[in-house]
Amino acid sequence: MPNHFGPQRFGMRANGHLLGALVLVVAARLTFVHHSTFFVNSLAHFAGEATYTDGHTARNSFITAILTLGEGYHNFHHEFPSDYRNGVDWWQYDPTKVLIWAASKVG
């Protein structure tokens, strides 16, 4: 079996049925994605500094950026919502910014 079927194999071992394995994998993915989204929206509006404006509750925090894969510079995101970056300085951790920039260079 190809390696990308690992989660289904885990589910098969957990309950022994393919349908149950798929339900388990889908439920786990949805749970993880929703918790990650709510984690970003909660923590990024609570911890850190309002670097760009005090007009909203979003904050910038390096620790939040590490925990949320670059979403921690949330104050910039709310001040400039059409910009693709969250971290604008070169040293701010924002892997999405780097990926989009690299893709723009490749074409």
Side-chain angles (χ1 to χ4, degrees), residues 50-77:
T51 309
Y52 294 96
T53 183
D54 289 346
H56 41 73
T57 61
R59 302 284 183 249
N60 290 337
S61 169
F62 175 74
I63 294 170
T64 306
I66 295 295
L67 294 174
T68 60
L69 298 175
E71 293 290 327
Y73 300 104
H74 217 61
N75 191 255
F76 180 83
H77 162 73

Side-chain angles (χ1 to χ4, degrees), residues 5 7 12 24-25 32 48 55 57-58 61 70 72 77-78 89 93-94 100 102:
F5 289 111
M12 285 288 289
L24 179 66
V25 170
F32 176 76
T57 61
S61 169
H77 162 73
H78 278 268
D89 294 322
Y93 180 70
D94 187 1
I100 292 172

Side-chain angles (χ1 to χ4, degrees), residues 86-100:
N86 276 326
V88 288
D89 294 322
W90 67 269
W91 52 269
Q92 292 176 324
Y93 180 70
D94 187 1
T96 305
K97 166 184 71 177
V98 175
L99 179 68
I100 292 172

Side-chain angles (χ1 to χ4, degrees), residues 31-47:
T31 300
F32 176 76
V33 168
H34 284 112
H35 278 76
S36 299
T37 301
F38 298 142
F39 178 70
V40 168
N41 288 329
S42 296
L43 192 59
H45 286 259
F46 173 73

